[in-house]
Amino acid sequence: MKKTQKKLTRSEVLFSKAKKYFPGGVNSPVRAFQSVGGTPLFIDKGKGAFIWDDDGRKYVDFCCSWGPLILGHANPKVIKAIKETVDKGTSFGAPTALENKLAELIISNNSYIEKIRFVSSGTEAVMSAIRLARGFTKRNKILKFEGCYHGHSDSLLVKAGSGLVTFGNSSSEGVPDSFVAETIVCPLNNPDAVKEAFLTFKNQIACVIIEPVPANNGLLLQEKNYLEFLREITSENGSLLIFDEVISGFRIGFTGAAGYYKIKPDLITYGKIIGGGLPVGAYGGSQKIMDNISPLGKVYQAGTLSGNPVAMAAGIAQLTECLKPGFYKKLEEKTLAFAKMINDYSKKKHYDFKVFSLGSIFWFAFTDSSSIKSSAEINSGSMKTFAKFFHLLLSNGIYLGPSGYEVGFISEAHSTEILEKSQKIILACLDGVNETLGKSK
Ligand SMILES: *Cc1c(COP(=O)(O)O)cnc(C)c1O
């Protein structure tokens, strides 16, 4: 019998228990730390830019619950709104004034949508928008891009096969081939592939769906003229253009990527920030298209907890803060300064490392290229290096999303002082990782 008994951390104990209850010990796969190795931290609490794990260790959080927390953790205004609302009950299954209030806040400040429908997750928003596009156009096929994530509904769990324009392969078991056959997959940043798809499937494509700021597989920033091209080709062919703004909505600015690029898609999906940290998704567009949703129209979509009052209150409180003058400018300036400082250092040291950013989204990439626009350009071999970097950062009090394909977020609560302290740690960890790389050569 071995006698060496290292004392387990609380996270380790909790994770081994969790594995008895949940597949892989988690309720969403990336949380399991599989791509970086080790034990996920179990989080006890968060405040502002910080989280504390169950072992009482404090971290600067750059994951921010994968994007929703643009004000940071436990923002007093959001918490107050939640508490006041929850005292009056949690759900009624009947309309409330809060739904009107959040809709008004959004629509009166966003000329890209006229009508909206609230649901409970980003996945649900996208799934519903796709059904609406199919119902509206009376067509079945949809076109998506390799490297974009749109939640876990069947039609969207499809990845590219070989060839420029392909019916993909399902990226999950349990998705019928007949579903996959309705999804066309093209590489990003490649107009020819989309042109070919529209030629091959003339009058069959209901919609083109894209993350206008692809941020679920690295940060694959697209050219504005490419997005404009998608707008044109969909209009010419009677297809709808859907911007999946679950991550970019209220992040790149209040009007998201639509406003940033000044492109009006037919439908926009939202999630994450819109719910202030509670489960809310939404889809919206012109009245003409949206009125095809039941009960007015023949496209069915419903939800027991849709427009939940507590979640609406959180969303209202958060978006009210986002609308304050200079809110996005300040976030962007902080992020730019943060990225530039790290990039300058990396360049000086000749490291193959770059921070890509837009608005307050950033991506740490171990690469020597100055621009990455499609998933094929991501060096999957560099993910091992990311894993080392991740753990070095973690042991020095910096928490990132546990995968090199994930982006990071800067919130209002990430003060310049916190960011400058974090930068120093990040640079030291970058040195550390590059030293180990040098040694292993
Ligand atoms: C997060 C995300 C989704 C899925 O949202 P969930 O709330 O996790 O279901 C869909 N699309 C994009 C672009 C996302 O970032």
Side-chain angles (χ1 to χ4, degrees), residues 29-90:
V30 72
R31 296 180 195 171
F33 269 41
Q34 276 194 349
S35 72
V36 290
T39 307
L41 301 185
F42 278 62
I43 306 303
D44 176 39
K45 61 177 183 184
K47 182 71 197 161
F50 301 102
I51 48 173
W52 285 260
D53 69 10
D54 266 273
D55 291 284
R57 282 190 286 237
K58 183 184 178 186
Y59 303 84
V60 181
D61 180 18
F62 287 103
C63 179
C64 296
S65 188
W66 305 101
L69 306 178
I70 197 166
L71 306 177
H73 293 273
N75 175 276
K77 290 184 175 137
V78 176
I79 299 298
K80 182 167 173 270
I82 291 173
K83 284 184 175 162
E84 281 173 11
T85 311
V86 83
D87 277 345
K88 301 203 279 180
T90 51

Short mmCIF file of all heavy atoms in Angstrom, two decimals, residues 29-90:
data_model
loop_
_atom_site.label_atom_id
_atom_site.label_comp_id
_atom_site.label_asym_id
_atom_site.label_seq_id
_atom_site.Cartn_x
_atom_site.Cartn_y
_atom_site.Cartn_z
N PRO A 29 -19.75 20.48 -21.26
CA PRO A 29 -18.49 19.73 -21.40
C PRO A 29 -17.19 20.50 -21.17
O PRO A 29 -16.28 19.97 -20.54
CB PRO A 29 -18.56 19.19 -22.83
CG PRO A 29 -19.83 19.62 -23.42
CD PRO A 29 -20.63 20.34 -22.42
N VAL A 30 -17.08 21.73 -21.66
CA VAL A 30 -15.77 22.40 -21.59
C VAL A 30 -15.34 22.66 -20.15
O VAL A 30 -14.17 22.79 -19.84
CB VAL A 30 -15.76 23.68 -22.46
CG1 VAL A 30 -16.60 24.78 -21.83
CG2 VAL A 30 -14.34 24.18 -22.71
N ARG A 31 -16.30 22.69 -19.24
CA ARG A 31 -15.99 22.91 -17.82
C ARG A 31 -15.13 21.81 -17.23
O ARG A 31 -14.53 21.99 -16.17
CB ARG A 31 -17.29 22.97 -17.01
CG ARG A 31 -18.16 24.14 -17.39
CD ARG A 31 -19.43 24.14 -16.55
NE ARG A 31 -20.43 25.02 -17.14
CZ ARG A 31 -21.68 25.11 -16.73
NH1 ARG A 31 -22.10 24.35 -15.73
NH2 ARG A 31 -22.53 25.93 -17.32
N ALA A 32 -15.09 20.64 -17.89
CA ALA A 32 -14.39 19.49 -17.31
C ALA A 32 -12.88 19.58 -17.42
O ALA A 32 -12.17 18.70 -16.94
CB ALA A 32 -14.89 18.20 -17.96
N PHE A 33 -12.35 20.64 -18.05
CA PHE A 33 -10.89 20.83 -18.16
C PHE A 33 -10.23 19.78 -19.05
O PHE A 33 -9.02 19.57 -18.96
CB PHE A 33 -10.21 20.79 -16.78
CG PHE A 33 -10.09 22.13 -16.09
CD1 PHE A 33 -11.12 23.05 -16.11
CD2 PHE A 33 -8.93 22.48 -15.41
CE1 PHE A 33 -11.01 24.27 -15.46
CE2 PHE A 33 -8.81 23.71 -14.75
CZ PHE A 33 -9.86 24.60 -14.78
N GLN A 34 -11.00 19.09 -19.90
CA GLN A 34 -10.38 18.01 -20.67
C GLN A 34 -9.28 18.49 -21.60
O GLN A 34 -8.28 17.81 -21.79
CB GLN A 34 -11.44 17.24 -21.46
CG GLN A 34 -12.08 16.19 -20.58
CD GLN A 34 -12.88 15.18 -21.36
OE1 GLN A 34 -13.15 15.34 -22.54
NE2 GLN A 34 -13.29 14.13 -20.67
N SER A 35 -9.44 19.69 -22.17
CA SER A 35 -8.43 20.09 -23.14
C SER A 35 -7.18 20.69 -22.49
O SER A 35 -6.16 20.83 -23.14
CB SER A 35 -9.01 21.01 -24.21
OG SER A 35 -9.28 22.26 -23.68
N VAL A 36 -7.26 21.05 -21.21
CA VAL A 36 -6.05 21.53 -20.53
C VAL A 36 -5.54 20.55 -19.47
O VAL A 36 -4.42 20.69 -18.97
CB VAL A 36 -6.27 22.92 -19.87
CG1 VAL A 36 -6.43 24.00 -20.92
CG2 VAL A 36 -7.46 22.90 -18.93
N GLY A 37 -6.35 19.56 -19.15
CA GLY A 37 -5.97 18.59 -18.12
C GLY A 37 -6.15 19.14 -16.72
O GLY A 37 -6.35 20.36 -16.53
N GLY A 38 -6.14 18.28 -15.74
CA GLY A 38 -6.29 18.72 -14.35
C GLY A 38 -7.73 18.72 -13.90
O GLY A 38 -8.62 18.25 -14.60
N THR A 39 -7.93 19.27 -12.72
CA THR A 39 -9.25 19.28 -12.09
C THR A 39 -9.90 20.64 -12.22
O THR A 39 -9.26 21.65 -11.90
CB THR A 39 -9.11 18.96 -10.58
OG1 THR A 39 -8.37 17.76 -10.45
CG2 THR A 39 -10.45 18.81 -9.91
N PRO A 40 -11.15 20.70 -12.66
CA PRO A 40 -11.81 22.01 -12.73
C PRO A 40 -11.93 22.63 -11.34
O PRO A 40 -12.08 21.92 -10.35
CB PRO A 40 -13.20 21.70 -13.30
CG PRO A 40 -13.35 20.23 -13.27
CD PRO A 40 -12.01 19.60 -13.12
N LEU A 41 -11.85 23.95 -11.31
CA LEU A 41 -12.08 24.64 -10.04
C LEU A 41 -13.57 24.67 -9.78
O LEU A 41 -14.35 24.94 -10.69
CB LEU A 41 -11.60 26.10 -10.12
CG LEU A 41 -10.14 26.35 -10.45
CD1 LEU A 41 -9.87 27.85 -10.34
CD2 LEU A 41 -9.24 25.57 -9.51
N PHE A 42 -13.96 24.39 -8.56
CA PHE A 42 -15.35 24.60 -8.16
C PHE A 42 -15.41 26.01 -7.57
O PHE A 42 -14.61 26.34 -6.70
CB PHE A 42 -15.79 23.53 -7.17
CG PHE A 42 -16.21 22.27 -7.87
CD1 PHE A 42 -15.31 21.56 -8.64
CD2 PHE A 42 -17.52 21.82 -7.79
CE1 PHE A 42 -15.70 20.41 -9.32
CE2 PHE A 42 -17.93 20.67 -8.47
CZ PHE A 42 -17.02 19.96 -9.24
N ILE A 43 -16.31 26.80 -8.08
CA ILE A 43 -16.34 28.21 -7.70
C ILE A 43 -17.33 28.45 -6.57
O ILE A 43 -18.47 27.99 -6.61
CB ILE A 43 -16.70 29.10 -8.92
CG1 ILE A 43 -15.74 28.80 -10.10
CG2 ILE A 43 -16.66 30.58 -8.54
CD1 ILE A 43 -14.27 28.98 -9.81
N ASP A 44 -16.85 29.17 -5.59
CA ASP A 44 -17.69 29.48 -4.43
C ASP A 44 -18.41 30.81 -4.62
O ASP A 44 -19.60 30.93 -4.36
CB ASP A 44 -16.78 29.53 -3.18
CG ASP A 44 -17.54 29.94 -1.94
OD1 ASP A 44 -18.70 29.50 -1.79
OD2 ASP A 44 -16.98 30.70 -1.12
N LYS A 45 -17.68 31.82 -5.09
CA LYS A 45 -18.32 33.14 -5.22
C LYS A 45 -17.53 34.03 -6.18
O LYS A 45 -16.36 33.74 -6.50
CB LYS A 45 -18.42 33.82 -3.86
CG LYS A 45 -17.06 34.07 -3.22
CD LYS A 45 -17.18 34.81 -1.89
CE LYS A 45 -15.77 35.08 -1.34
NZ LYS A 45 -15.74 35.70 -0.04
N GLY A 46 -18.17 35.09 -6.59
CA GLY A 46 -17.50 36.06 -7.45
C GLY A 46 -17.87 37.46 -7.02
O GLY A 46 -18.95 37.69 -6.46
N LYS A 47 -16.95 38.39 -7.24
CA LYS A 47 -17.25 39.81 -6.97
C LYS A 47 -16.39 40.64 -7.90
O LYS A 47 -15.16 40.52 -7.89
CB LYS A 47 -16.92 40.13 -5.49
CG LYS A 47 -17.24 41.56 -5.08
CD LYS A 47 -18.75 41.79 -5.00
CE LYS A 47 -19.09 43.27 -5.01
NZ LYS A 47 -20.49 43.54 -5.38
N GLY A 48 -17.04 41.47 -8.71
CA GLY A 48 -16.29 42.30 -9.65
C GLY A 48 -15.50 41.45 -10.63
O GLY A 48 -16.03 40.55 -11.26
N ALA A 49 -14.19 41.70 -10.70
CA ALA A 49 -13.35 40.97 -11.65
C ALA A 49 -12.82 39.66 -11.07
O ALA A 49 -12.08 38.95 -11.73
CB ALA A 49 -12.17 41.85 -12.06
N PHE A 50 -13.21 39.35 -9.83
CA PHE A 50 -12.60 38.20 -9.14
C PHE A 50 -13.58 37.06 -8.89
O PHE A 50 -14.77 37.27 -8.72
CB PHE A 50 -12.03 38.65 -7.79
CG PHE A 50 -10.99 39.73 -7.91
CD1 PHE A 50 -11.31 41.05 -7.63
CD2 PHE A 50 -9.71 39.42 -8.34
CE1 PHE A 50 -10.35 42.06 -7.77
CE2 PHE A 50 -8.75 40.42 -8.48
CZ PHE A 50 -9.07 41.75 -8.20
N ILE A 51 -13.00 35.84 -8.86
CA ILE A 51 -13.75 34.68 -8.37
C ILE A 51 -12.91 34.01 -7.29
O ILE A 51 -11.68 34.15 -7.27
CB ILE A 51 -14.08 33.65 -9.48
CG1 ILE A 51 -12.84 33.32 -10.32
CG2 ILE A 51 -15.21 34.13 -10.35
CD1 ILE A 51 -13.05 32.19 -11.32
N TRP A 52 -13.59 33.30 -6.42
CA TRP A 52 -12.93 32.51 -5.37
C TRP A 52 -13.37 31.06 -5.53
O TRP A 52 -14.56 30.79 -5.70
CB TRP A 52 -13.36 33.00 -3.98
CG TRP A 52 -12.73 34.28 -3.55
CD1 TRP A 52 -11.67 34.44 -2.70
CD2 TRP A 52 -13.14 35.62 -3.91
NE1 TRP A 52 -11.39 35.78 -2.53
CE2 TRP A 52 -12.27 36.52 -3.26
CE3 TRP A 52 -14.15 36.14 -4.72
CZ2 TRP A 52 -12.38 37.91 -3.39
CZ3 TRP A 52 -14.27 37.51 -4.87
CH2 TRP A 52 -13.38 38.38 -4.21
N ASP A 53 -12.42 30.14 -5.48
CA ASP A 53 -12.81 28.74 -5.57
C ASP A 53 -13.15 28.21 -4.19
O ASP A 53 -13.04 28.92 -3.18
CB ASP A 53 -11.73 27.91 -6.29
CG ASP A 53 -10.44 27.76 -5.50
OD1 ASP A 53 -10.41 28.12 -4.30
OD2 ASP A 53 -9.45 27.28 -6.08
N ASP A 54 -13.58 26.95 -4.15
CA ASP A 54 -14.03 26.37 -2.89
C ASP A 54 -12.88 26.16 -1.89
O ASP A 54 -13.12 25.87 -0.72
CB ASP A 54 -14.75 25.04 -3.14
CG ASP A 54 -16.25 25.26 -3.23
OD1 ASP A 54 -16.92 25.25 -2.17
OD2 ASP A 54 -16.75 25.48 -4.36
N ASP A 55 -11.64 26.29 -2.38
CA ASP A 55 -10.50 26.23 -1.47
C ASP A 55 -10.11 27.62 -0.97
O ASP A 55 -9.08 27.79 -0.32
CB ASP A 55 -9.31 25.57 -2.18
CG ASP A 55 -9.59 24.09 -2.42
OD1 ASP A 55 -9.51 23.32 -1.44
OD2 ASP A 55 -9.93 23.72 -3.55
N GLY A 56 -10.93 28.62 -1.33
CA GLY A 56 -10.68 29.98 -0.86
C GLY A 56 -9.63 30.74 -1.67
O GLY A 56 -9.21 31.82 -1.26
N ARG A 57 -9.20 30.17 -2.79
CA ARG A 57 -8.21 30.89 -3.60
C ARG A 57 -8.88 31.89 -4.53
O ARG A 57 -9.95 31.62 -5.07
CB ARG A 57 -7.39 29.88 -4.42
CG ARG A 57 -6.33 29.19 -3.56
CD ARG A 57 -5.37 28.40 -4.41
NE ARG A 57 -6.01 27.18 -4.89
CZ ARG A 57 -5.52 25.95 -4.66
NH1 ARG A 57 -4.40 25.78 -4.00
NH2 ARG A 57 -6.15 24.90 -5.13
N LYS A 58 -8.22 33.02 -4.69
CA LYS A 58 -8.79 34.13 -5.46
C LYS A 58 -8.14 34.22 -6.84
O LYS A 58 -6.92 34.05 -6.96
CB LYS A 58 -8.52 35.41 -4.66
CG LYS A 58 -9.09 36.68 -5.24
CD LYS A 58 -8.64 37.87 -4.36
CE LYS A 58 -9.13 39.19 -4.90
NZ LYS A 58 -8.59 40.33 -4.14
N TYR A 59 -8.95 34.49 -7.84
CA TYR A 59 -8.44 34.60 -9.21
C TYR A 59 -9.03 35.84 -9.90
O TYR A 59 -10.18 36.20 -9.64
CB TYR A 59 -8.87 33.39 -10.06
CG TYR A 59 -8.44 32.07 -9.49
CD1 TYR A 59 -9.21 31.44 -8.52
CD2 TYR A 59 -7.27 31.46 -9.91
CE1 TYR A 59 -8.82 30.23 -7.97
CE2 TYR A 59 -6.86 30.24 -9.37
CZ TYR A 59 -7.65 29.63 -8.40
OH TYR A 59 -7.26 28.44 -7.85
N VAL A 60 -8.25 36.44 -10.80
CA VAL A 60 -8.84 37.41 -11.72
C VAL A 60 -9.52 36.58 -12.80
O VAL A 60 -8.90 35.70 -13.40
CB VAL A 60 -7.76 38.31 -12.38
CG1 VAL A 60 -8.43 39.31 -13.32
CG2 VAL A 60 -6.95 39.04 -11.33
N ASP A 61 -10.79 36.84 -13.03
CA ASP A 61 -11.58 36.01 -13.94
C ASP A 61 -11.70 36.65 -15.32
O ASP A 61 -12.32 37.70 -15.47
CB ASP A 61 -12.98 35.80 -13.34
CG ASP A 61 -13.86 34.94 -14.23
OD1 ASP A 61 -13.33 34.25 -15.12
OD2 ASP A 61 -15.10 34.98 -14.05
N PHE A 62 -11.10 36.00 -16.31
CA PHE A 62 -11.22 36.48 -17.69
C PHE A 62 -12.19 35.61 -18.50
O PHE A 62 -12.27 35.75 -19.71
CB PHE A 62 -9.85 36.52 -18.38
CG PHE A 62 -8.97 37.64 -17.90
CD1 PHE A 62 -7.92 37.40 -17.02
CD2 PHE A 62 -9.19 38.95 -18.32
CE1 PHE A 62 -7.11 38.43 -16.57
CE2 PHE A 62 -8.39 39.99 -17.88
CZ PHE A 62 -7.34 39.74 -17.00
N CYS A 63 -12.88 34.72 -17.82
CA CYS A 63 -13.87 33.89 -18.51
C CYS A 63 -15.25 34.55 -18.41
O CYS A 63 -16.00 34.59 -19.38
CB CYS A 63 -13.90 32.49 -17.89
SG CYS A 63 -15.10 31.37 -18.62
N CYS A 64 -15.51 35.12 -17.22
CA CYS A 64 -16.75 35.87 -17.00
C CYS A 64 -17.99 35.08 -17.43
O CYS A 64 -18.85 35.60 -18.16
CB CYS A 64 -16.69 37.23 -17.70
SG CYS A 64 -15.43 38.30 -17.04
N SER A 65 -18.02 33.81 -17.00
CA SER A 65 -19.13 32.92 -17.31
C SER A 65 -19.33 32.76 -18.82
O SER A 65 -20.45 32.56 -19.29
CB SER A 65 -20.43 33.39 -16.64
OG SER A 65 -21.43 32.43 -16.81
N TRP A 66 -18.25 32.88 -19.58
CA TRP A 66 -18.25 32.75 -21.05
C TRP A 66 -18.87 33.94 -21.75
O TRP A 66 -19.35 33.84 -22.87
CB TRP A 66 -18.91 31.44 -21.51
CG TRP A 66 -18.30 30.24 -20.89
CD1 TRP A 66 -18.80 29.52 -19.85
CD2 TRP A 66 -17.04 29.61 -21.23
NE1 TRP A 66 -17.93 28.50 -19.52
CE2 TRP A 66 -16.85 28.54 -20.36
CE3 TRP A 66 -16.07 29.89 -22.19
CZ2 TRP A 66 -15.73 27.72 -20.39
CZ3 TRP A 66 -14.95 29.07 -22.22
CH2 TRP A 66 -14.80 27.99 -21.34
N GLY A 67 -18.90 35.07 -21.06
CA GLY A 67 -19.33 36.30 -21.73
C GLY A 67 -20.47 37.09 -21.12
O GLY A 67 -20.50 38.31 -21.25
N PRO A 68 -21.43 36.44 -20.45
CA PRO A 68 -22.58 37.21 -19.97
C PRO A 68 -22.25 38.36 -19.02
O PRO A 68 -22.96 39.37 -18.99
CB PRO A 68 -23.42 36.15 -19.23
CG PRO A 68 -23.06 34.86 -19.90
CD PRO A 68 -21.61 35.00 -20.26
N LEU A 69 -21.17 38.23 -18.24
CA LEU A 69 -20.95 39.17 -17.14
C LEU A 69 -20.16 40.40 -17.56
O LEU A 69 -19.05 40.64 -17.09
CB LEU A 69 -20.26 38.45 -15.98
CG LEU A 69 -20.99 37.18 -15.50
CD1 LEU A 69 -20.20 36.51 -14.39
CD2 LEU A 69 -22.40 37.50 -15.04
N ILE A 70 -20.75 41.23 -18.39
CA ILE A 70 -20.03 42.40 -18.89
C ILE A 70 -19.83 43.46 -17.81
O ILE A 70 -19.00 44.37 -17.96
CB ILE A 70 -20.75 42.97 -20.14
CG1 ILE A 70 -19.81 43.90 -20.93
CG2 ILE A 70 -22.06 43.65 -19.77
CD1 ILE A 70 -20.27 44.26 -22.31
N LEU A 71 -20.55 43.33 -16.69
CA LEU A 71 -20.34 44.26 -15.57
C LEU A 71 -19.49 43.61 -14.48
O LEU A 71 -19.26 44.20 -13.43
CB LEU A 71 -21.68 44.70 -14.97
CG LEU A 71 -22.70 45.31 -15.93
CD1 LEU A 71 -23.99 45.63 -15.18
CD2 LEU A 71 -22.14 46.57 -16.59
N GLY A 72 -19.04 42.39 -14.71
CA GLY A 72 -18.31 41.64 -13.68
C GLY A 72 -19.29 40.86 -12.82
O GLY A 72 -20.50 40.84 -13.07
N HIS A 73 -18.74 40.21 -11.79
CA HIS A 73 -19.56 39.37 -10.92
C HIS A 73 -20.34 40.20 -9.90
O HIS A 73 -19.82 41.17 -9.36
CB HIS A 73 -18.68 38.38 -10.16
CG HIS A 73 -18.05 37.36 -11.06
ND1 HIS A 73 -18.66 36.18 -11.41
CD2 HIS A 73 -16.86 37.36 -11.71
CE1 HIS A 73 -17.87 35.50 -12.22
NE2 HIS A 73 -16.78 36.19 -12.42
N ALA A 74 -21.55 39.73 -9.62
CA ALA A 74 -22.37 40.27 -8.53
C ALA A 74 -22.43 41.80 -8.56
O ALA A 74 -22.26 42.46 -7.53
CB ALA A 74 -21.86 39.78 -7.17
N ASN A 75 -22.67 42.34 -9.73
CA ASN A 75 -22.82 43.79 -9.83
C ASN A 75 -23.98 44.23 -8.93
O ASN A 75 -25.08 43.67 -9.01
CB ASN A 75 -23.10 44.18 -11.29
CG ASN A 75 -23.38 45.67 -11.43
OD1 ASN A 75 -24.50 46.11 -11.23
ND2 ASN A 75 -22.35 46.41 -11.73
N PRO A 76 -23.76 45.22 -8.06
CA PRO A 76 -24.80 45.59 -7.08
C PRO A 76 -26.14 45.96 -7.71
O PRO A 76 -27.19 45.61 -7.15
CB PRO A 76 -24.20 46.82 -6.38
CG PRO A 76 -22.72 46.75 -6.62
CD PRO A 76 -22.53 46.01 -7.92
N LYS A 77 -26.12 46.62 -8.86
CA LYS A 77 -27.40 47.01 -9.48
C LYS A 77 -28.16 45.79 -10.00
O LYS A 77 -29.39 45.72 -9.90
CB LYS A 77 -27.15 48.02 -10.59
CG LYS A 77 -26.71 49.35 -10.00
CD LYS A 77 -26.54 50.42 -11.04
CE LYS A 77 -26.23 51.73 -10.34
NZ LYS A 77 -25.18 52.49 -10.98
N VAL A 78 -27.42 44.85 -10.57
CA VAL A 78 -28.06 43.64 -11.09
C VAL A 78 -28.61 42.81 -9.93
O VAL A 78 -29.76 42.34 -9.96
CB VAL A 78 -27.06 42.81 -11.94
CG1 VAL A 78 -27.69 41.49 -12.39
CG2 VAL A 78 -26.58 43.61 -13.15
N ILE A 79 -27.81 42.67 -8.88
CA ILE A 79 -28.23 41.87 -7.72
C ILE A 79 -29.47 42.49 -7.05
O ILE A 79 -30.41 41.78 -6.69
CB ILE A 79 -27.07 41.73 -6.70
CG1 ILE A 79 -25.87 41.02 -7.35
CG2 ILE A 79 -27.52 41.03 -5.43
CD1 ILE A 79 -26.11 39.61 -7.81
N LYS A 80 -29.46 43.80 -6.95
CA LYS A 80 -30.61 44.49 -6.33
C LYS A 80 -31.89 44.23 -7.15
O LYS A 80 -32.94 43.92 -6.58
CB LYS A 80 -30.31 45.99 -6.26
CG LYS A 80 -31.38 46.83 -5.61
CD LYS A 80 -30.84 48.24 -5.29
CE LYS A 80 -31.95 49.16 -4.80
NZ LYS A 80 -32.63 49.89 -5.88
N ALA A 81 -31.77 44.34 -8.47
CA ALA A 81 -32.93 44.13 -9.34
C ALA A 81 -33.45 42.70 -9.21
O ALA A 81 -34.66 42.46 -9.15
CB ALA A 81 -32.56 44.42 -10.79
N ILE A 82 -32.53 41.76 -9.13
CA ILE A 82 -32.93 40.35 -8.98
C ILE A 82 -33.66 40.15 -7.65
O ILE A 82 -34.74 39.56 -7.59
CB ILE A 82 -31.70 39.41 -9.07
CG1 ILE A 82 -31.12 39.42 -10.50
CG2 ILE A 82 -32.06 38.00 -8.63
CD1 ILE A 82 -29.81 38.67 -10.67
N LYS A 83 -33.08 40.68 -6.57
CA LYS A 83 -33.67 40.48 -5.24
C LYS A 83 -35.07 41.10 -5.15
O LYS A 83 -36.00 40.49 -4.63
CB LYS A 83 -32.77 41.08 -4.17
CG LYS A 83 -31.55 40.19 -3.88
CD LYS A 83 -30.72 40.76 -2.74
CE LYS A 83 -29.58 39.83 -2.38
NZ LYS A 83 -28.53 40.51 -1.61
N GLU A 84 -35.19 42.31 -5.67
CA GLU A 84 -36.50 42.97 -5.61
C GLU A 84 -37.55 42.19 -6.38
O GLU A 84 -38.70 42.09 -5.96
CB GLU A 84 -36.39 44.40 -6.18
CG GLU A 84 -35.80 45.37 -5.18
CD GLU A 84 -35.52 46.74 -5.81
OE1 GLU A 84 -35.97 47.00 -6.94
OE2 GLU A 84 -34.82 47.54 -5.15
N THR A 85 -37.14 41.65 -7.51
CA THR A 85 -38.10 40.94 -8.35
C THR A 85 -38.46 39.58 -7.77
O THR A 85 -39.63 39.18 -7.76
CB THR A 85 -37.53 40.78 -9.78
OG1 THR A 85 -37.05 42.04 -10.21
CG2 THR A 85 -38.60 40.30 -10.74
N VAL A 86 -37.46 38.90 -7.28
CA VAL A 86 -37.69 37.52 -6.81
C VAL A 86 -38.62 37.51 -5.58
O VAL A 86 -39.37 36.56 -5.37
CB VAL A 86 -36.34 36.81 -6.54
CG1 VAL A 86 -35.76 37.14 -5.18
CG2 VAL A 86 -36.46 35.31 -6.74
N ASP A 87 -38.61 38.60 -4.82
CA ASP A 87 -39.52 38.69 -3.67
C ASP A 87 -40.98 38.64 -4.09
O ASP A 87 -41.85 38.34 -3.28
CB ASP A 87 -39.26 40.00 -2.90
CG ASP A 87 -38.10 39.85 -1.92
OD1 ASP A 87 -37.71 38.69 -1.65
OD2 ASP A 87 -37.58 40.88 -1.44
N LYS A 88 -41.24 38.96 -5.34
CA LYS A 88 -42.64 38.98 -5.80
C LYS A 88 -43.05 37.68 -6.49
O LYS A 88 -44.13 37.56 -7.05
CB LYS A 88 -42.85 40.15 -6.75
CG LYS A 88 -42.53 41.50 -6.09
CD LYS A 88 -43.24 42.66 -6.77
CE LYS A 88 -42.52 43.11 -8.02
NZ LYS A 88 -43.23 44.23 -8.67
N GLY A 89 -42.15 36.70 -6.47
CA GLY A 89 -42.46 35.43 -7.14
C GLY A 89 -41.48 35.18 -8.27
O GLY A 89 -40.83 36.11 -8.74
N THR A 90 -41.37 33.93 -8.69
CA THR A 90 -40.31 33.60 -9.64
C THR A 90 -40.78 33.37 -11.07
O THR A 90 -39.98 33.47 -11.99
CB THR A 90 -39.56 32.33 -9.18
OG1 THR A 90 -40.52 31.32 -8.92
CG2 THR A 90 -38.73 32.61 -7.94
#
